[in-house]
Amino acid sequence: MDYHHEIQPPLRTIMTPGPVEADPRVLRAMSTPVVGQFDPAFTNIMNETMELLRRIFQTENEWAFPVDGTSRSGIEAVLASAIHPGDSVLVPIYGRFGYLLTEIAERYGAEIHTLEKEWGTVFSPEEIIEEMDRVQPDIVAMVHGETSTGCIQPLKEIGHACRARGIYIVVDAVATIGGVPVKTDEWCLDAVIGGTQKCFSVPSGMAPLTYNERLGRRFQARKKVERGIATEADKQPEAPMIRSNYFDLSQLQDYWGPRRLNHHTEATSMVYALHEGARLIVNEGLEARFARHRYHEEALTAGLKAMGLSLFVEGESKLPVVTCINVPEDIDADEVRKILLGQFGIEIASSFGPLHGKIWRIGSMGYSCRKENVLAVLGALESVLLYAGAPVNPGTSQQAALSFYMQKEDTKAAAEV
Amino acid sequence: MDYHHEIQPPLRTIMTPGPVEADPRVLRAMSTPVVGQFDPAFTNIMNETMELLRRIFQTENEWAFPVDGTSRSGIEAVLASAIHPGDSVLVPIYGRFGYLLTEIAERYGAEIHTLEKEWGTVFSPEEIIEEMDRVQPDIVAMVHGETSTGCIQPLKEIGHACRARGIYIVVDAVATIGGVPVKTDEWCLDAVIGGTQKCFSVPSGMAPLTYNERLGRRFQARKKVERGIATEADKQPEAPMIRSNYFDLSQLQDYWGPRRLNHHTEATSMVYALHEGARLIVNEGLEARFARHRYHEEALTAGLKAMGLSLFVEGESKLPVVTCINVPEDIDADEVRKILLGQFGIEIASSFGPLHGKIWRIGSMGYSCRKENVLAVLGALESVLLYAGAPVNPGTSQQAALSFYMQKEDTKAAAEV
């Protein structure tokens, strides 16, 4: 093998539900030289990152920081730190990532109760609250935006119901954070885990999360500081020790907090990236950012429908940042994706399990969520479908999106005069 | 707080045992635009990374890939996947990172046996083999290069003894990989975990590791593929399920292997960085790289001794890439470090627990291990010590190192004529 060349991956238009295109300013921030983990210049960046994350999670929680790993590392950290072996955990499932929550919780010794909903639909709050009252779980764990089906689950009433019953609620908001409102405090969520490689437009490798004091106390009771760095003030845990060292949030918060307890060596460049990505979100403004995602979703879906395609999910349950399309009859879904990537350099996604080959998923997230990308994916998809002999209306998809953009921009320009 | 500026950390000279300065070519590679995780352009980079890692671990093992997390995530992945609850694990300890192995193994349900050696010394193979025969553990877990004390533990005889007895041996080579020989196959090591932020000169955030078929079979017997993506061919585990999803190496190897089982979303930019860092090591040549680390160690220790300082560890047990210095009497060790950083922009390290305030640790690792850094740290340390009133010989430390470099270069130039 020849190792005399640097990596040279092609430039892609990435319209999947993640990883999406990283903001160029984030990539630039990552190339900043490294400083030491306890250098005041770095701990200051850590503190700023926490403050930025609080704003994005819409929370007053003290604790908002990343776990050094991909999104599921954050989910595992929260579940590992929260679940005592034998705890009862209720997982309402409406797609693949609901299963993931059961997979993780089971490994940490939970007794799992699931409630399943047909893929492509979401729960009414009552369905979950009823099951909650029947099962009386210690913890409810669920997904906010299910990328596998393109659905979004309203959480406000469920969060309030958990709080009223003294049940902890843990939410996977990997797909929604930074693109769709996630109101940690207003919805009474005890812990929320976000992702970076989706609406955040930061490369995969960090799992920002937040949790409140109520759940934090549960973590603290299980705290055991490592031998070799523990002091006499560090007691033995009062509750069962957390079953992972890497995912022990009681130690991690002391690393991110003023004590600066030595744990891992923070992933400097990924923190730079997360800081920059978070800064760009806060500077864009949360409401403006959510509106931008809605705006391009409208153009995208108008184009898809004009072409003659039907959506797998529409209406209130549709996740604004992921659009799932029913694959037309007799069309090889993977072959279409292959031509899109190989000939147009555009990536869209398949789905998992029962939906593989049945739907395509188009993401419109973060930096990828912009006009030229929406127009490009529509034009290319129409072209590949025509090539494959699918019954689509030629020349219609881009026209629909283009009309949408031109008209909106004219209206905006007129209003500004 | 003002978020209208990008991060702007200062440029530091980093002479700690990690994180050290990242190679500028690695930083540049990280700013490469992201591609999708199953894009052939990316899976090809993943395959190349595995091949490069095999060379660096000096192994023919099929499996050599990173866990997405900092170094200790790799250690935890191997221990989580290897340890069945109730297994007996022997941990010979000669510094802080030995304790870390017990901390992790304990959380995964192991019965821990420790054997401790005074900090600053290492074990004879016989001591460990004797204890092995007494305890008859399932697994031996130990550290190769102990950065907390600056010691290196020879492993060849211990590895062979484990193999002969059917005991698994897991080695933390976080501090040594890429700077000091780590001979996975020749020493009969079943699993070895490296780090990126030390001799690799890649920012923290990936944990490259390797394991052989013998240990791989143990992982496979515990394999459980996630619901939602499992096929009918995926059986239930024959042995106790691995207690972590994120650290389940049986699933991770199917993500890195030809099956490309969907697990996490690979940390694209960190893989770019790891690929580039590994490529630079392979292109420099392992032997040349190890010799370079020895060469600068010689200059550094010559300078420190000329100044009148004494080393905490010398001789065969000294880790070539970390030099520990006894703090002169009545000198405030942390204050000296603070002035070095604040006035000279140079970072050196303290140590942990009983050694805090007693020794300084100077790393000479990877990209940080170069002439100008060695000269800079010697000059600055001498200056700060004089300022603090320590009895050092003025003007001697840089002279000793400079003479070493000038003489070596003259000899080399003469040989080339």
Side-chain angles (χ1 to χ4, degrees), chain A residues 11-16 19-28 178-179 196-202 277 280-281 284 289 292-293 296 363-374, chain B residues 33-34:
Chain A
L11 260 181
R12 302 294 201 195
T13 298
I14 312 185
M15 296 300 276
T16 66
V20 305
E21 299 166 22
D23 192 300
R25 291 165 290 185
V26 168
L27 296 177
R28 203 164 58 214
T196 54
Q197 79 280 13
K198 299 180 190 277
C199 301
F200 235 98
S201 273
V202 166
L280 296 175
I281 292 174
E284 181 174 355
R289 194 172 177 98
R292 168 163 68 83
H293 282 88
H296 293 294
S364 47
M365 294 174 151
Y367 190 74
S368 281
C369 179
R370 58 189 206 276
K371 207 161 48 176
E372 53 269 42
N373 278 17
V374 168
Chain B
V34 163

Side-chain angles (χ1 to χ4, degrees), chain B residues 128-250:
Chain B
I128 293 179
I129 292 168
E130 215 169 87
E131 188 69 6
M132 223 150 64
D133 286 337
R134 204 181 63 75
V135 171
Q136 304 200 352
D138 299 290
I139 299 166
V140 170
M142 64 188 305
V143 175
H144 185 214
E146 179 59 79
T147 53
S148 68
T149 62
C151 287
I152 185 165
Q153 172 68 54
L155 290 174
K156 187 175 175 177
E157 288 178 74
I158 302 168
H160 281 263
C162 284
R163 182 67 51 91
R165 287 160 180 77
I167 297 169
Y168 298 106
I169 178 164
V170 172
V171 169
D172 164 358
V174 169
T176 47
I177 195 77
V180 177
V182 177
K183 301 187 177 183
T184 303
D185 291 358
E186 197 181 312
W187 298 346
C188 293
L189 308 179
D190 295 297
V192 181
I193 305 99
T196 55
Q197 79 279 14
K198 299 180 190 277
C199 302
F200 235 96
S201 272
V202 165
S204 175
M206 292 244 117
L209 53 80
T210 187
Y211 53 89
N212 59 18
E213 212 196 322
R214 191 163 93 104
L215 192 55
R217 279 196 301 273
R218 191 172 170 95
F219 300 165
Q220 280 303 109
R222 308 178 72 182
K223 182 171 181 173
K224 175 179 180 294
V225 175
E226 286 165 28
R227 217 176 133 196
I229 55 169
T231 65
E232 284 179 14
D234 291 309
K235 295 167 298 184
Q236 286 300 304
E238 300 150 26
M241 187 168 60
I242 293 167
R243 278 193 183 175
S244 164
N245 175 289
Y246 196 74
F247 293 135
D248 180 340
L249 291 175
S250 73

Side-chain angles (χ1 to χ4, degrees), chain A residues 225-238:
Chain A
V225 174
E226 286 164 28
R227 219 178 132 196
I229 56 169
T231 65
E232 284 181 12
D234 292 308
K235 294 167 299 188
Q236 286 299 304
E238 299 151 25

Side-chain angles (χ1 to χ4, degrees), chain A residues 3 12 39 70 72 76 103 107 116 204 224 226-227 244-246 248 263 265 279 283, chain B residues 3 12 39 70 72 76 96 103 107 116 204 224 226-227 244-246 248 263 265 279 283:
Chain A
Y3 290 114
R12 302 294 201 195
D39 191 317
T70 69
R72 64 172 59 194
E76 184 157 332
E103 293 286 334
R107 290 173 194 243
E116 299 208 28
S204 175
K224 175 179 181 295
E226 286 164 28
R227 219 178 132 196
S244 164
N245 174 290
Y246 197 73
D248 180 340
H263 185 255
T265 297
R279 191 179 76 90
N283 284 353
Chain B
Y3 290 115
R12 301 294 201 197
D39 191 316
T70 67
R72 65 170 61 194
E76 185 158 332
R96 176 196 165 192
E103 292 287 333
R107 289 172 193 243
E116 300 208 29
S204 175
K224 175 179 180 294
E226 286 165 28
R227 217 176 133 196
S244 164
N245 175 289
Y246 196 74
D248 180 340
H263 185 257
T265 298
R279 191 179 76 90
N283 284 354

